[in-house]
Amino acid sequence: MTDRRVNRTKRQIKKALINLLSKKELSRITVSEITNLADIGRGTFYTHYQDIYDLYHSLINELAKDLLNIFSKYYSQATKDNNFIPLFQALSDYISTQQDLLTMLASKQNSELTISYLQDRFKHELVNYDNSTGLEQIIGNIYGVAGIFIDWLQGKIKASPEELGEAIGKFANKYWIID
């Protein structure tokens, strides 16, 4: 079991990174800025993370883990029933709860690194999740949906989380053919 102090310190560090990412790109952030904002020493930072990119990947991994948990919970039933609406409503709901963070991560200054990392993570997980002949199609579908969510986070699509989830789910019901 992890010590509460360790969890609190990691939250402070991540919060500092998120705050700084809202102002500038990752490559321009220093460990000193993070430690000053988090009110910790440099040694404490390096106790938990190798560098800023390790911290960034930890943050992204938490998001990816949550998204993959939702996917795993709903995907099998969705393919069995050919009803993807519950899956995409659950994803939309989660994304809306993380909207500020995800919007910042999907911003122009951070999006390439974030999207590339998440795509690699999802591709790896999906390969392990489903070895069916339709895997390439599943991966393509997920990447397409990721683009829709990014457009939504960037304000290019105006819809509530419920409306977006339902619309994507209806589209998937109609056009996704999973072998």
Side-chain angles (χ1 to χ4, degrees):
M1 177 164 247
T2 307
D3 187 331
R4 279 195 240 171
R5 291 172 293 169
V6 169
N7 288 335
R8 186 180 66 238
T9 300
K10 286 183 173 184
R11 277 193 310 271
Q12 285 174 248
I13 294 169
K14 288 176 183 173
K15 185 177 178 182
L17 176 65
I18 291 165
N19 183 313
L20 291 166
L21 280 171
S22 69
K23 299 171 186 159
K24 56 181 162 177
E25 36 182 291
L26 183 66
S27 64
R28 301 181 68 73
I29 295 172
T30 66
V31 171
S32 293
E33 290 173 308
I34 292 171
T35 58
N36 287 339
L37 248 153
D39 196 25
I40 60 166
R42 289 178 67 84
T44 302
F45 176 89
Y46 287 112
T47 296
H48 301 291
Y49 304 101
Q50 294 177 339
D51 56 24
I52 291 172
Y53 292 95
D54 184 35
L55 168 58
Y56 183 80
H57 288 145
S58 174
L59 185 66
I60 301 297
N61 277 331
E62 285 178 24
L63 290 169
K65 180 182 168 193
D66 290 345
L67 290 167
L68 285 164
N69 284 339
I70 292 167
F71 182 84
S72 294
K73 181 177 178 181
Y74 290 94
Y75 181 74
S76 293
Q77 192 65 42
T79 57
K80 190 164 82 173
D81 298 343
N82 194 35
N83 182 6
F84 291 89
I85 294 171
L87 167 64
F88 289 111
Q89 284 183 323
L91 287 170
S92 295
D93 289 343
Y94 174 76
I95 289 170
S96 73
T97 66
Q98 300 296 319
Q99 190 165 0
D100 291 340
L101 173 60
L102 287 166
T103 298
M104 183 268 309
L105 291 174
S107 69
K108 288 180 183 172
Q109 66 186 16
N110 299 309
S111 66
E112 188 175 316
L113 179 62
T114 303
I115 294 166
S116 173
Y117 187 78
L118 282 173
Q119 284 178 336
D120 287 346
R121 176 79 193 270
F122 272 90
K123 186 169 34 176
H124 174 75
E125 292 294 329
L126 285 171
V127 168
N128 290 331
Y129 182 77
D130 187 346
N131 289 319
S132 72
T133 56
L135 180 60
E136 297 84 7
Q137 184 177 2
I138 294 167
I139 291 172
N141 291 340
I142 295 299
Y143 285 171
V145 168
I148 293 168
F149 280 121
I150 290 166
D151 284 350
W152 180 60
L153 288 167
Q154 293 176 342
K156 296 175 186 171
I157 297 174
K158 304 292 184 208
S160 70
E162 297 79 19
E163 292 168 334
L164 185 67
E166 185 172 349
I168 295 170
K170 285 180 179 178
F171 178 84
N173 290 348
K174 189 171 183 179
Y175 295 106
W176 285 19
I177 300 166
I178 308 296
D179 295 329

